[in-house]
Amino acid sequence: MNDEPLITILENRQQLINPNLPGYGDSHWDASLNFDQQVEQMAQDLPSGRLLGWSMGGLYAIELVTRYPKKFSQLTLVCCNPCFVKRPDWDCAVGESVFDEFCEQLTRGWESTIRRFLSLQMLGETRARGLIRDLSMRIAKDGEPDARVLRFGLDLLKQQDVRSRLQNYEQPISLILGERDVLVPIALSQQISNVNPRIQVESLAGAAHAPFLSHTVEFASLLNFR
């Protein structure tokens, strides 16, 4: 994620490490590794500390803290749903067709897929147009993404359900949501206690799926980083 403004604020508080997910940024993509193997590799590469995971990155963070509770002492989830797709017992999510449509669109070209995904992330933001333009320009500078990476991510969002991983987790957990987020509905704030009542929920009024971009200062104030 493009979080330079946030990093500038947080660097004054403590040391930060900002790793990319597999296949994103300068992170190598190994198509032979499944999700579990990726998590294990990340666990070996990351030092001990507290984790913050945004959106899909939160799924990796949940796995890391629950597998290695002695190494990772605290978890902050940002606009992350432990189950992104609606289930019979989980209606605070989006329909599976949302990700099916993205997968179908990806076969016709990554540019339109990325553009639509950014539009969905920023839907409801008062500065949506400017944010989408800035992010699109930064993505374009990085060159053509690997379609395998994009497809892997869409499949992960569609299939992964890590609610059971959180149920008995006893370390501090906080969840920050955007009030206008359409990918991770604000209704999650009411149902997440059924997964783990110890999860502390905060929300940002007027924010969508990327509050660290649209409401950077307010977002930083919610982080319990000292």
Side-chain angles (χ1 to χ4, degrees), residues 35-87:
F35 176 67
D36 288 337
Q37 293 167 327
Q38 289 178 349
V39 170
E40 292 300 320
Q41 182 172 296
M42 293 176 71
Q44 301 305 313
D45 294 339
L46 290 172
S48 300
R50 293 173 285 186
L51 292 181
L52 182 151
W54 170 61
S55 194
M56 184 174 69
L59 299 178
Y60 285 86
I62 290 170
E63 287 293 328
L64 286 166
V65 299
T66 53
R67 293 186 193 188
Y68 299 93
K70 294 182 179 179
K71 184 171 185 177
F72 304 111
S73 59
Q74 181 177 317
L75 173 63
T76 300
L77 298 173
V78 181
C79 298
C80 174
N81 199 328
C83 182
F84 276 84
V85 170
K86 288 182 179 180
R87 316 279 188 194

Side-chain angles (χ1 to χ4, degrees), residues 1-3 6 21 52-59 77-84 92-94 98-99 102 114 116-128 131-132 135 153-154 157 175-186 188 204-215 219:
M1 62 182 179
N2 178 53
D3 48 8
L6 177 63
L21 294 181
L52 182 151
W54 170 61
S55 194
M56 184 174 69
L59 299 178
L77 298 173
V78 181
C79 298
C80 174
N81 199 328
C83 182
F84 276 84
C92 54
V94 298
V98 171
F99 296 108
F102 278 118
I114 292 292
R116 181 166 178 248
F117 195 56
L118 290 177
S119 297
L120 192 59
Q121 288 185 17
M122 300 300 172
L123 188 65
E125 287 280 8
T126 55
R127 297 192 300 117
L131 289 169
I132 292 170
L135 287 174
L154 289 171
L157 290 170
L175 172 65
I176 301 175
L177 300 173
E179 180 188 43
R180 298 182 178 179
D181 195 344
V182 297
L183 287 173
V184 180
I186 191 64
L188 177 62
L204 281 169
H209 194 61
F212 53 89
L213 291 179
S214 61
H215 298 68
F219 176 82

Side-chain angles (χ1 to χ4, degrees), residues 211-225:
F212 53 89
L213 291 179
S214 61
H215 298 68
T216 306
V217 175
E218 298 94 325
F219 176 82
S221 70
L222 297 179
L223 298 178
N224 186 27
F225 290 180

